[in-house]
Amino acid sequence: MMTGWDAWLYTGKVTVYLGKRDFVDHLDYVDPIDGIVVIENDYLQGRKVYGQVTTTYRYGREEDEVMGVKFSKELVLCKEQIIPGKKDSNKDYTPIQERLLRKLGSNAYPFLFQFPANSPSSVTLQPGDDDQGKPLGVEYTVRIFVAEGDDDKGHKRSSVALAIKKLQYAPPTRGRRLPSSLVSKGFTFSQGKLNLEVTLDKEIYYHGEKVSANVIVTNNSRKAVKNIKLAVVQHCEVTMVNAQFSRQVASLETREGCPITPGASFSKQFFMVPLASSNKDRRGIALDGHLKDDDVNLASSTMVADGKAPNDNMGIVISYSVRVKLNCGTLGGELQTDVPFKLMHSAQGAGEGSREGEGGGRDRKMKKTKSVERNRYSDNYANDDDDNIVFEDFARLRLNDPE
C-alpha cells in the first residue's frame, strides 16, 4: 500500500496533493515537483488558479532587523497558471499523477514545477534558546492560490502552502579512496619530530553510521603526548554574507596509551557517530531542513557537479572533517590535523540513472525520472486498485504567511 501522498486541505474548497516532500538533486537534474490540485464546484467564479515555488534564504536573525534592513531574501523560482491550464494532449504526467487524476475526477488538475539550476539545498541552522523569529537557512515552499489575474497575489484565505525540501543523496558507489592525513611537528631546542597519521575507512558516510578513524602516533621527539582528542566537525559557509563557522557534532577524549613517551608509538581505531539527536540544544548546528521533529538529520555535505567548485554554490555550503589533536602539555603545545569526508543520505535505489551522459536535455531527464518513478511504484500497484492510496494530512505544517 502506498503512503507517499501528502495532502493539505483548505476549508474543503482547495485541496493540494504532493507525492513527496523530499526532492533529490542528482547534480545533472533535480526531481520535478509533481502534484494535483482539486477545486470544489462553483468555487472559482471566473477566477484562476496559480502555482509557484518560492525559496527563502535567511542569513541573519529576524529580531536584528531594524530600520528596514532585511536579513533574508525571498525569490519566486517559478510560477505557472494551473486552471485553466494549457491544452496539451501529449503532456507527460508522472505515474502517481495519472492515478490520482483517475481517482479524483474532473475537478483534479495536475501541475509540475522544476527547480532552477544551481538552486541550493534545504538547510536549517538550529536556533538557540534565546533566538526568536524564523530560523536561519534555506527553505522552499509550494504555494497554490486563487486570484483574478497574474498580477494578483491572492488572499491567504484562498491559498495553500506546503513546505518541501531539496536534498542531495550520495552517489551509488562510495569510491575506493581512503581519506588520510600525515602531519609532523618539531620542537624548539629539541631534536626529532612528533608524527601523526589519520586514515578514514570511507570517503562517504551515511547518516547514522559510525565514522572510523585509524590514528597512528610515532613519537621521535623528546616531548610526551598527554592525551588525544577526536571530533567530527561540521563546517558551514554562508555564501550571502561570506561567513564561515564550524561546530563539533561528535567528540571524544582519551588517555589510552598515554603518555606516549619519546621513542614510543601508538595505533588505535576510534569510532564516533555524528547525530542531530546528540546536538539538539546546540545553536548553529546545520540540519537537512526541518519539516518534522522525527525526521531531522544533520545537514548533508554539499555536492557539486564535475568541473564546478564548491565555492560557486549558493545558500549554505556544508562540509565535514575528522579532527584529531595531540596534547603535548603546556610547553609542548598541540599537533592537529583535519581529514575531510562526506556525510550524506544513502542512494536508496536511486542509482538507476542518477547520472546521464552530456547533452541529455530536459526531455530525456523527464523520461528517465518518469521511468524511475514507475519502477519504484509498479510493484505496489501491480494488483491494487485506486482505493489503496493512503493520504497523509499535511495540516500540521501550515504555512499561512501574514499579510
Side-chain angles (χ1 to χ4, degrees):
M1 187 177 296
M2 174 4 188
T3 60
W5 274 91
D6 294 317
W8 178 290
L9 284 80
Y10 177 77
T11 65
K13 302 297 184 181
V14 181
T15 308
V16 179
Y17 299 90
L18 286 180
K20 54 189 176 183
R21 295 173 301 152
D22 299 346
F23 299 88
V24 182
D25 181 358
H26 302 273
L27 297 186
D28 57 348
Y29 77 100
V30 185
D31 291 345
I33 305 169
D34 56 335
I36 299 288
V37 57
V38 179
I39 301 294
E40 289 294 310
N41 291 325
D42 303 325
Y43 177 64
L44 293 182
Q45 300 292 325
R47 295 176 295 175
K48 301 175 182 178
V49 177
Y50 297 90
Q52 64 183 23
V53 178
T54 62
T55 180
T56 302
Y57 182 7
R58 175 160 291 279
Y59 51 90
R61 298 197 309 170
E62 194 172 13
E63 54 264 39
D64 293 337
E65 297 178 343
V66 294
M67 299 182 66
V69 176
K70 288 286 186 181
F71 295 132
S72 67
K73 296 287 185 181
E74 182 171 332
L75 301 174
V76 178
L77 302 181
C78 50
K79 183 177 180 180
E80 183 177 297
Q81 179 178 308
I82 301 174
I83 306 175
K86 298 177 181 178
K87 299 297 183 181
D88 188 356
S89 58
N90 297 322
K91 190 171 183 179
D92 268 347
Y93 299 132
T94 62
I96 306 181
Q97 282 181 319
E98 294 174 355
R99 202 159 190 85
L100 263 292
L101 288 172
R102 291 196 300 268
K103 180 179 178 63
L104 298 174
S106 59
N107 288 349
Y109 299 85
F111 60 85
L112 189 78
F113 297 115
Q114 299 284 345
F115 285 97
N118 300 324
S119 53
S121 296
S122 299
V123 176
T124 298
L125 298 185
Q126 191 162 256
D129 294 335
D130 298 331
D131 290 336
Q132 303 174 359
K134 297 179 180 179
L136 279 64
V138 178
E139 299 177 343
Y140 289 95
T141 303
V142 176
R143 181 169 176 259
I144 309 297
F145 60 97
V146 179
E148 299 288 345
D150 188 39
D151 296 332
D152 186 0
K153 295 183 179 180
H155 195 278
K156 69 177 182 179
R157 290 180 299 179
S158 59
S159 64
V160 173
L162 304 175
I164 61 173
K165 292 191 291 185
K166 178 178 180 287
L167 305 176
Q168 289 184 320
Y169 282 0
T173 59
R174 304 202 206 190
R176 298 181 179 180
R177 191 179 75 88
L178 302 182
S180 63
S181 175
L182 175 61
V183 293
S184 301
K185 179 178 181 178
F187 299 91
T188 307
F189 307 118
S190 176
Q191 294 181 347
K193 292 185 177 181
L194 176 64
N195 302 312
L196 170 61
E197 182 178 1
V198 181
T199 304
L200 308 184
D201 65 339
K202 297 184 186 72
E203 183 180 6
I204 298 176
Y205 290 92
Y206 299 148
H207 291 290
E209 276 191 329
K210 292 181 180 179
V211 177
S212 171
N214 188 45
V215 177
I216 300 176
V217 180
T218 306
N219 191 359
N220 295 322
S221 71
R222 294 184 180 180
K223 301 291 184 179
V225 177
K226 306 295 184 182
N227 59 26
I228 303 174
K229 297 180 180 179
L230 296 94
V232 174
V233 184
Q234 181 189 72
H235 308 276
C236 300
E237 180 182 353
V238 184
T239 59
M240 184 66 72
V241 291
N242 198 25
Q244 297 178 349
F245 61 92
S246 299
R247 297 284 188 273
Q248 291 188 6
V249 292
S251 63
L252 64 87
E253 181 176 353
T254 181
R255 294 182 180 272
E256 183 178 352
C258 297
I260 305 175
T261 55
S265 60
F266 172 80
S267 177
K268 184 175 176 60
Q269 191 173 27
F270 294 96
F271 299 94
M272 294 175 288
V273 184
L275 295 171
S277 58
S278 304
N279 297 275
K280 284 186 175 180
D281 300 325
R282 301 192 56 212
R283 183 177 185 270
I285 299 295
L287 307 173
D288 258 339
H290 192 177
L291 292 184
K292 290 184 178 179
D293 291 335
D294 57 356
D295 67 353
V296 179
N297 288 302
L298 293 172
S300 297
S301 300
T302 303
M303 299 282 286
V304 296
D306 293 338
K308 294 187 177 181
N311 295 336
D312 295 337
N313 281 283
M314 294 298 294
I316 299 178
V317 179
I318 304 295
S319 60
Y320 289 88
S321 68
V322 169
R323 178 172 295 170
V324 180
K325 187 182 298 185
L326 305 182
N327 178 19
C328 299
T330 305
L331 298 178
E334 296 177 335
L335 175 59
Q336 174 181 302
T337 186
D338 279 64
V339 183
F341 69 94
K342 294 180 175 63
L343 181 65
M344 305 198 72
H345 296 278
S346 60
Q348 295 185 349
E352 331 149 78
S354 63
R355 286 274 184 178
E356 275 191 321
E358 295 184 1
R362 180 176 179 273
D363 293 339
R364 192 141 59 95
K365 292 171 184 175
M366 284 299 302
K367 289 180 181 178
K368 179 174 62 177
T369 303
K370 184 176 180 181
S371 65
V372 171
E373 293 290 326
R374 192 176 296 278
N375 291 335
R376 183 179 300 170
Y377 300 117
S378 59
D379 293 339
N380 295 332
Y381 285 130
N383 299 310
D384 289 349
D385 54 31
D386 290 338
D387 293 334
N388 280 338
I389 300 177
V390 177
F391 302 102
E392 176 187 353
D393 190 1
F394 212 106
R396 192 166 69 88
L397 302 171
R398 185 166 303 178
L399 293 178
N400 284 337
D401 296 328
E403 290 185 318

